[in-house]
PDB file of all heavy atoms in Angstrom:
ATOM      1  N   ASP B 362     134.490 123.322 164.607  1.00  0.00           N
ATOM      2  CA  ASP B 362     133.479 122.263 164.684  1.00  0.00           C
ATOM      3  C   ASP B 362     133.411 121.626 166.052  1.00  0.00           C
ATOM      4  O   ASP B 362     132.817 120.587 166.247  1.00  0.00           O
ATOM      5  CB  ASP B 362     133.728 121.208 163.603  1.00  0.00           C
ATOM      6  CG  ASP B 362     135.148 120.719 163.618  1.00  0.00           C
ATOM      7  OD1 ASP B 362     135.906 121.179 164.507  1.00  0.00           O
ATOM      8  OD2 ASP B 362     135.499 119.893 162.775  1.00  0.00           O
ATOM      9  N   GLY B 363     134.027 122.227 167.026  1.00  0.00           N
ATOM     10  CA  GLY B 363     133.806 121.797 168.418  1.00  0.00           C
ATOM     11  C   GLY B 363     134.306 120.439 168.770  1.00  0.00           C
ATOM     12  O   GLY B 363     133.890 119.852 169.774  1.00  0.00           O
ATOM     13  N   THR B 364     135.198 119.861 167.965  1.00  0.00           N
ATOM     14  CA  THR B 364     135.631 118.509 168.272  1.00  0.00           C
ATOM     15  C   THR B 364     136.640 118.466 169.400  1.00  0.00           C
ATOM     16  O   THR B 364     137.071 117.415 169.835  1.00  0.00           O
ATOM     17  CB  THR B 364     136.246 117.845 167.046  1.00  0.00           C
ATOM     18  OG1 THR B 364     137.178 118.751 166.447  1.00  0.00           O
ATOM     19  CG2 THR B 364     135.192 117.483 166.039  1.00  0.00           C
ATOM     20  N   ASP B 365     137.045 119.642 169.884  1.00  0.00           N
ATOM     21  CA  ASP B 365     138.011 119.626 170.969  1.00  0.00           C
ATOM     22  C   ASP B 365     137.350 120.122 172.256  1.00  0.00           C
ATOM     23  O   ASP B 365     137.971 120.729 173.093  1.00  0.00           O
ATOM     24  CB  ASP B 365     139.212 120.490 170.605  1.00  0.00           C
ATOM     25  CG  ASP B 365     138.797 121.871 170.125  1.00  0.00           C
ATOM     26  OD1 ASP B 365     137.573 122.115 170.004  1.00  0.00           O
ATOM     27  OD2 ASP B 365     139.664 122.699 169.871  1.00  0.00           O
ATOM     28  N   HIS B 366     136.075 119.872 172.394  1.00  0.00           N
ATOM     29  CA  HIS B 366     135.340 120.268 173.587  1.00  0.00           C
ATOM     30  C   HIS B 366     135.824 119.442 174.756  1.00  0.00           C
ATOM     31  O   HIS B 366     136.112 118.257 174.614  1.00  0.00           O
ATOM     32  CB  HIS B 366     133.833 120.027 173.324  1.00  0.00           C
ATOM     33  CG  HIS B 366     132.957 120.768 174.256  1.00  0.00           C
ATOM     34  ND1 HIS B 366     132.581 120.265 175.469  1.00  0.00           N
ATOM     35  CD2 HIS B 366     132.409 121.983 174.154  1.00  0.00           C
ATOM     36  CE1 HIS B 366     131.802 121.131 176.073  1.00  0.00           C
ATOM     37  NE2 HIS B 366     131.679 122.186 175.299  1.00  0.00           N
ATOM     38  N   PRO B 367     135.897 120.046 175.966  1.00  0.00           N
ATOM     39  CA  PRO B 367     136.389 119.302 177.123  1.00  0.00           C
ATOM     40  C   PRO B 367     135.526 118.073 177.446  1.00  0.00           C
ATOM     41  O   PRO B 367     136.076 117.036 177.846  1.00  0.00           O
ATOM     42  CB  PRO B 367     136.328 120.344 178.245  1.00  0.00           C
ATOM     43  CG  PRO B 367     135.572 121.502 177.717  1.00  0.00           C
ATOM     44  CD  PRO B 367     135.718 121.471 176.253  1.00  0.00           C
ATOM     45  N   ASP B 368     134.205 118.191 177.292  1.00  0.00           N
ATOM     46  CA  ASP B 368     133.348 117.035 177.599  1.00  0.00           C
ATOM     47  C   ASP B 368     133.485 116.026 176.476  1.00  0.00           C
ATOM     48  O   ASP B 368     133.178 116.304 175.323  1.00  0.00           O
ATOM     49  CB  ASP B 368     131.900 117.537 177.707  1.00  0.00           C
ATOM     50  CG  ASP B 368     130.950 116.450 178.176  1.00  0.00           C
ATOM     51  OD1 ASP B 368     131.385 115.267 178.203  1.00  0.00           O
ATOM     52  OD2 ASP B 368     129.809 116.776 178.492  1.00  0.00           O
ATOM     53  N   PRO B 369     133.931 114.779 176.786  1.00  0.00           N
ATOM     54  CA  PRO B 369     134.204 113.810 175.709  1.00  0.00           C
ATOM     55  C   PRO B 369     132.958 113.427 174.933  1.00  0.00           C
ATOM     56  O   PRO B 369     133.016 113.208 173.723  1.00  0.00           O
ATOM     57  CB  PRO B 369     134.793 112.606 176.457  1.00  0.00           C
ATOM     58  CG  PRO B 369     134.417 112.792 177.873  1.00  0.00           C
ATOM     59  CD  PRO B 369     134.269 114.252 178.105  1.00  0.00           C
ATOM     60  N   GLU B 370     131.813 113.349 175.616  1.00  0.00           N
ATOM     61  CA  GLU B 370     130.581 112.990 174.890  1.00  0.00           C
ATOM     62  C   GLU B 370     130.251 113.993 173.827  1.00  0.00           C
ATOM     63  O   GLU B 370     129.911 113.657 172.702  1.00  0.00           O
ATOM     64  CB  GLU B 370     129.405 112.907 175.864  1.00  0.00           C
ATOM     65  CG  GLU B 370     129.270 111.564 176.531  1.00  0.00           C
ATOM     66  CD  GLU B 370     127.976 111.506 177.340  1.00  0.00           C
ATOM     67  OE1 GLU B 370     126.971 112.073 176.891  1.00  0.00           O
ATOM     68  OE2 GLU B 370     128.005 110.868 178.396  1.00  0.00           O
ATOM     69  N   ILE B 371     130.344 115.272 174.230  1.00  0.00           N
ATOM     70  CA  ILE B 371     130.000 116.330 173.266  1.00  0.00           C
ATOM     71  C   ILE B 371     131.018 116.367 172.148  1.00  0.00           C
ATOM     72  O   ILE B 371     130.687 116.570 170.993  1.00  0.00           O
ATOM     73  CB  ILE B 371     129.887 117.675 173.981  1.00  0.00           C
ATOM     74  CG1 ILE B 371     128.771 117.591 175.017  1.00  0.00           C
ATOM     75  CG2 ILE B 371     129.610 118.782 173.001  1.00  0.00           C
ATOM     76  CD1 ILE B 371     128.426 118.874 175.650  1.00  0.00           C
ATOM     77  N   ALA B 372     132.275 116.151 172.512  1.00  0.00           N
ATOM     78  CA  ALA B 372     133.297 116.166 171.467  1.00  0.00           C
ATOM     79  C   ALA B 372     133.032 115.055 170.455  1.00  0.00           C
ATOM     80  O   ALA B 372     133.142 115.254 169.250  1.00  0.00           O
ATOM     81  CB  ALA B 372     134.682 115.987 172.109  1.00  0.00           C
ATOM     82  N   GLU B 373     132.637 113.879 170.967  1.00  0.00           N
ATOM     83  CA  GLU B 373     132.377 112.791 170.052  1.00  0.00           C
ATOM     84  C   GLU B 373     131.162 113.067 169.198  1.00  0.00           C
ATOM     85  O   GLU B 373     131.167 112.796 167.997  1.00  0.00           O
ATOM     86  CB  GLU B 373     132.138 111.508 170.858  1.00  0.00           C
ATOM     87  CG  GLU B 373     132.284 110.258 170.006  1.00  0.00           C
ATOM     88  CD  GLU B 373     131.803 109.044 170.741  1.00  0.00           C
ATOM     89  OE1 GLU B 373     132.164 108.920 171.928  1.00  0.00           O
ATOM     90  OE2 GLU B 373     131.059 108.250 170.152  1.00  0.00           O
ATOM     91  N   ALA B 374     130.140 113.634 169.816  1.00  0.00           N
ATOM     92  CA  ALA B 374     128.939 113.968 169.026  1.00  0.00           C
ATOM     93  C   ALA B 374     129.291 114.964 167.935  1.00  0.00           C
ATOM     94  O   ALA B 374     128.817 114.865 166.804  1.00  0.00           O
ATOM     95  CB  ALA B 374     127.867 114.553 169.947  1.00  0.00           C
ATOM     96  N   ASN B 375     130.159 115.905 168.276  1.00  0.00           N
ATOM     97  CA  ASN B 375     130.539 116.907 167.267  1.00  0.00           C
ATOM     98  C   ASN B 375     131.344 116.293 166.149  1.00  0.00           C
ATOM     99  O   ASN B 375     131.257 116.687 164.996  1.00  0.00           O
ATOM    100  CB  ASN B 375     131.312 118.049 167.926  1.00  0.00           C
ATOM    101  CG  ASN B 375     130.390 119.070 168.552  1.00  0.00           C
ATOM    102  OD1 ASN B 375     129.276 119.248 168.084  1.00  0.00           O
ATOM    103  ND2 ASN B 375     130.839 119.734 169.598  1.00  0.00           N
ATOM    104  N   ARG B 376     132.160 115.320 166.531  1.00  0.00           N
ATOM    105  CA  ARG B 376     132.951 114.645 165.488  1.00  0.00           C
ATOM    106  C   ARG B 376     132.021 113.920 164.523  1.00  0.00           C
ATOM    107  O   ARG B 376     132.193 113.982 163.301  1.00  0.00           O
ATOM    108  CB  ARG B 376     133.899 113.626 166.136  1.00  0.00           C
ATOM    109  CG  ARG B 376     135.346 113.895 165.810  1.00  0.00           C
ATOM    110  CD  ARG B 376     136.261 112.943 166.512  1.00  0.00           C
ATOM    111  NE  ARG B 376     136.367 113.217 167.937  1.00  0.00           N
ATOM    112  CZ  ARG B 376     136.301 112.270 168.877  1.00  0.00           C
ATOM    113  NH1 ARG B 376     136.152 111.023 168.538  1.00  0.00           N
ATOM    114  NH2 ARG B 376     136.397 112.604 170.147  1.00  0.00           N
ATOM    115  N   LEU B 377     131.011 113.262 165.057  1.00  0.00           N
ATOM    116  CA  LEU B 377     130.053 112.567 164.205  1.00  0.00           C
ATOM    117  C   LEU B 377     129.316 113.549 163.299  1.00  0.00           C
ATOM    118  O   LEU B 377     129.150 113.321 162.096  1.00  0.00           O
ATOM    119  CB  LEU B 377     129.062 111.804 165.083  1.00  0.00           C
ATOM    120  CG  LEU B 377     127.904 111.126 164.354  1.00  0.00           C
ATOM    121  CD1 LEU B 377     128.412 110.089 163.406  1.00  0.00           C
ATOM    122  CD2 LEU B 377     126.944 110.500 165.349  1.00  0.00           C
ATOM    123  N   ARG B 378     128.917 114.655 163.891  1.00  0.00           N
ATOM    124  CA  ARG B 378     128.194 115.672 163.109  1.00  0.00           C
ATOM    125  C   ARG B 378     129.089 116.243 162.011  1.00  0.00           C
ATOM    126  O   ARG B 378     128.635 116.496 160.906  1.00  0.00           O
ATOM    127  CB  ARG B 378     127.715 116.796 164.019  1.00  0.00           C
ATOM    128  CG  ARG B 378     126.603 116.378 164.933  1.00  0.00           C
ATOM    129  CD  ARG B 378     126.257 117.488 165.847  1.00  0.00           C
ATOM    130  NE  ARG B 378     125.576 118.562 165.121  1.00  0.00           N
ATOM    131  CZ  ARG B 378     124.262 118.651 165.050  1.00  0.00           C
ATOM    132  NH1 ARG B 378     123.505 117.775 165.652  1.00  0.00           N
ATOM    133  NH2 ARG B 378     123.711 119.652 164.393  1.00  0.00           N
ATOM    134  N   ALA B 379     130.344 116.454 162.333  1.00  0.00           N
ATOM    135  CA  ALA B 379     131.257 117.001 161.315  1.00  0.00           C
ATOM    136  C   ALA B 379     131.404 115.997 160.177  1.00  0.00           C
ATOM    137  O   ALA B 379     131.435 116.371 158.996  1.00  0.00           O
ATOM    138  CB  ALA B 379     132.608 117.334 161.939  1.00  0.00           C
ATOM    139  N   SER B 380     131.464 114.717 160.515  1.00  0.00           N
ATOM    140  CA  SER B 380     131.630 113.719 159.453  1.00  0.00           C
ATOM    141  C   SER B 380     130.384 113.628 158.587  1.00  0.00           C
ATOM    142  O   SER B 380     130.463 113.250 157.427  1.00  0.00           O
ATOM    143  CB  SER B 380     131.951 112.351 160.042  1.00  0.00           C
ATOM    144  OG  SER B 380     130.815 111.845 160.688  1.00  0.00           O
ATOM    145  N   LEU B 381     129.218 113.954 159.145  1.00  0.00           N
ATOM    146  CA  LEU B 381     127.995 113.923 158.361  1.00  0.00           C
ATOM    147  C   LEU B 381     127.730 115.235 157.657  1.00  0.00           C
ATOM    148  O   LEU B 381     126.768 115.359 156.894  1.00  0.00           O
ATOM    149  CB  LEU B 381     126.792 113.617 159.261  1.00  0.00           C
ATOM    150  CG  LEU B 381     126.727 112.217 159.832  1.00  0.00           C
ATOM    151  CD1 LEU B 381     125.642 112.128 160.856  1.00  0.00           C
ATOM    152  CD2 LEU B 381     126.455 111.225 158.710  1.00  0.00           C
TER     153      LEU B 381
END
Side-chain angles (χ1 to χ4, degrees):
Chain B
D362 52 2
T364 47
D365 50 357
H366 198 272
D368 186 349
E370 273 188 35
I371 298 188
E373 197 190 315
N375 277 331
R376 238 177 287 134
L377 174 62
R378 289 176 72 95
S380 71
L381 290 171

